[in-house]
Structures are given as C-alpha cells and as structure tokens.
Amino acid sequence: MTSIDVAGLAARLRDVSYLADRGLATALACAVAMRRPLLLEGDAGVGKTDAARAIARVYDASLVRLQCYEGLDLYAAAYDWNYAKQLLAIRSAEAAGDRAADLYGEDFLLRRPLLAALGAEKENGAVLLIDEIDRADDEFEAYLLEYLADFAMTIPEFGRIAAAHPPIVILTSNRTRDLHDALKRRCFYYWIGHPTVEREIEIIRMRLPSVSEDLARDVAGAVAILRDSGLRKAPGIAEALDWTQTLDALGARRLERRFVDDSLGTVVKYPEDIETARAVAKTFVQ
Ligand SMILES: Nc1ncnc2c1ncn2[C@@H]1O[C@H](COP(=O)(O)OP(=O)(O)O)[C@@H](O)[C@H]1O
Ligand SMILES: [Mg+2]
C-alpha cells in the first residue's frame, strides 16, 4: 500500500478553495484511502459541508447529498417505487389485454441518495454526504450501520444492490445530540474547531480576493473575540465571510465603529447577541 499523502491532499483542497489544517487533511486522506466513513462534527459554519464538496471536486467524483431532518425515512433516503408509473403500466397493459410488465423492476425504482451513491460509474465512486445526521431520528442511524458496513442494500422486491465502487462517505453533525457509539465505531472522527485568526484571514482573502488585507485581518480578529464572548450562537466562517463582504460593500477599509453598528446583523443573529456584540465591539474597533 502506498503511504497516504496528507500534504498533497491539503494542496489539492487549496486548489479548490478549501483550506484544511493538517488534522482535517489527515482525517480526510485516511478516510479516502481506506474507504472508511468520516464523521465531521463541529459548530455551524466551520466548514463541514464544504469539506465534502471540496473532496468531491478534488477527486472529480459526483457529490450525492442526503440532507437529514426529523422524520427522514427510507423512502426519502434510500429508494422508493414510482407508484404513478406502476399504475400507468397496469392500466396500459389492461387496455392492451396483456399482463403488466414486472412492476418491481429497474424502470420503476426511484434511486434516493443512499442508493444513488452505490451506482457511481467512475472508479473513485461518489462522495456521499450525509449532512446533519444529528437531525435524523436514531432509528435511521441503525439503518445506516448496515449500509456503511457493506455498501450494499437489499430491496425485498428487487434483490441486493452492491456498490461496484464504494463511495467516500462523509457524515456531518452539529452535535445537537450525541450519536450512537455503534455508528461512531464504524467511522473515523474529526472535530472541526473554529479556525485560528491567521487561517481565517487566509480563508477570507482566498474567498474574497478583492477585499483589503487590513479589513480581512480586522474581521478575523473581531470574530475571534466574538466567539469568546459567550454568545448564544457564535459566528462561523460563513458569518465572517458575510460580514467582510458587507463591510466591503459599505465602503469600509478597516473595521470602524460606524460600519460595525450598521452591519452586526450579518455576523450575529439573535437580539441578545447583538447587544453583547455591541458591548464587546469597543475592544476591537478603533
Ligand atoms: N476551511 C475552509 N476553507 C475555505 N472556506 C471555508 C472553510 N471552512 C468553511 N468555509 C466557508 O464557510 C462557509 C460555511 O461552511 P459550511 O461548510 O457550510 O459550514 P458547516 O457545514 O460546518 O455549517 C462556506 O461558505 C464555506 O465555503
Ligand atoms: Mg453544513
């Protein structure tokens, strides 16, 4: 087995505008090389979803996304039957005086994300993003265990479908609840923390190249202070980018008081947080 090239992957991620630190690049590289699912946890806006998107671009694999929510069931996640089409087939067979074709064949099968991810034709497989798994009910986790163990699915009316090329699986959780140990055991794990100020400056400059370095630096510093201020919802990288873009649009070259007041709603999103942010703004504006 060739050894895993972490620096190489980090460079390729950078090429698609995703800056991973060494820990995250290592976790991703191992997950890809060993085809083990990777569970990424972290606060909202730290780059979990985008990590999966970036990996798909790096490997030129199709991204199959399953957005989880309360009540998500197998019909939405795995497969369903096209009832309308089945009905039509029965009717037209009746009209022609024939027997209906096999109603549980390929033609009537609706491939939802978990099944679609097994069907990738490229050798790299698909990247399957199971996003915000903490929102789904825990019975769904139990189903996933089987799926992740063999990258195959048994459909009672149809048979077993196995992946020709196993997908790269990335699960994300905002940690609104703990996941089962059994699921965690199956996955590699990485906690994405908020970036350092230097990394955040780099991300802002990479994503918003027209913004001045001073402004990027000011915003990254201010956001770091805000994250330490006991807010109900700490701003993520998404908010830092929104804030910078807004400030830039307002004509700010540096983070000055008047601009802060006008733009806080792009970076904190609860009334009580706006109050707190106004109070701590004194420490980061000149
Ligand atoms: N390491 C990173 N490099 C570049 N952009 C990033 C990085 N992390 C986050 N972003 C950007 O921040 C935003 C939020 O990221 P996202 O993946 O949606 O967060 P999450 O899924 O953790 O809530 C996106 O616009 C993303 O492009
Ligand atoms: Mg996300």
Side-chain angles (χ1 to χ4, degrees):
M1 191 169 152
T2 52
S3 63
I4 293 172
D5 180 9
V6 175
L9 177 60
R12 291 171 73 190
L13 286 168
R14 178 187 285 267
D15 289 343
V16 297
S17 299
Y18 189 87
L19 273 191
D21 62 19
R22 194 170 165 83
L24 176 57
T26 306
L28 289 165
C30 291
V32 171
M34 296 156 84
R35 279 299 190 275
R36 276 283 285 272
L38 173 63
L39 170 61
L40 296 177
E41 278 193 329
D43 291 346
V46 293
K48 302 181 296 296
T49 301
D50 217 38
R53 276 200 210 105
I55 283 292
R57 289 177 66 191
V58 161
Y59 290 100
D60 188 27
S62 54
L63 178 71
V64 180
R65 179 178 183 176
L66 174 63
Q67 171 64 55
C68 299
Y69 51 85
E70 213 184 310
L72 173 68
D73 60 21
L74 289 187
Y75 302 111
Y79 70 90
D80 203 352
W81 294 104
N82 189 337
Y83 299 112
K85 202 170 168 188
Q86 285 174 325
L87 207 62
L88 217 60
I90 294 172
R91 292 242 172 90
S92 61
E94 272 172 5
D98 290 340
R99 283 187 54 222
D102 178 11
L103 294 175
Y104 292 98
E106 190 77 45
D107 281 355
F108 300 97
L109 186 60
L110 295 172
R111 293 170 186 267
R112 307 294 193 212
L114 295 181
L115 182 55
L118 300 180
E121 274 156 25
K122 288 186 201 158
E123 181 142 5
N124 279 332
V127 172
L128 172 62
L129 166 61
I130 303 177
D131 216 7
E132 304 186 346
I133 174 77
D134 51 328
R135 290 181 183 228
D137 311 294
D138 41 6
E139 301 89 74
F140 184 68
E141 269 180 59
Y143 179 78
L144 270 186
L145 275 180
E146 261 183 77
Y147 175 88
L148 295 176
D150 12 303
F151 292 125
M153 195 180 282
T154 301
I155 301 176
E157 307 89 342
F158 186 82
R160 186 178 145 91
I161 299 178
H165 305 290
I168 297 167
V169 183
I170 297 182
L171 300 99
T172 80
S173 163
N174 287 338
R175 205 152 183 261
T176 56
R177 66 174 176 86
D178 275 328
L179 304 176
H180 284 274
D181 283 341
L183 182 64
K184 288 193 162 177
R185 218 174 298 130
R186 192 128 293 154
C187 301
F188 291 149
Y189 178 85
Y190 191 77
W191 171 264
I192 306 189
H194 290 288
T196 61
V197 172
E198 287 311 312
R199 179 171 298 278
E200 194 147 24
I201 293 169
E202 246 191 291
I203 293 173
I204 294 172
R205 300 209 66 207
M206 186 173 70
R207 289 286 162 113
L208 304 169
S210 65
V211 162
S212 78
E213 177 164 3
D214 283 340
L215 186 59
R217 197 165 281 285
D218 284 356
V219 169
V223 165
I225 293 170
L226 285 172
R227 284 179 193 141
D228 265 346
S229 309
L231 299 177
R232 179 162 162 196
K233 163 77 181 69
I237 297 171
E239 284 75 22
L241 290 168
D242 283 346
W243 198 17
T244 312
Q245 207 166 15
T246 307
L247 288 162
D248 188 53
L250 290 171
R253 307 285 300 162
R254 302 293 308 250
L255 193 58
E256 292 162 41
R257 176 99 227 175
R258 60 197 166 110
F259 293 124
V260 171
D261 283 337
D262 290 343
S263 61
L264 269 183
T266 61
V267 68
V268 282
K269 313 267 170 93
Y270 286 96
E272 61 267 39
D273 285 356
I274 299 224
E275 287 307 307
T276 311
R278 285 227 168 85
V280 298
K282 292 186 206 72
T283 59
F284 58 68
V285 290
Q286 55 274 65

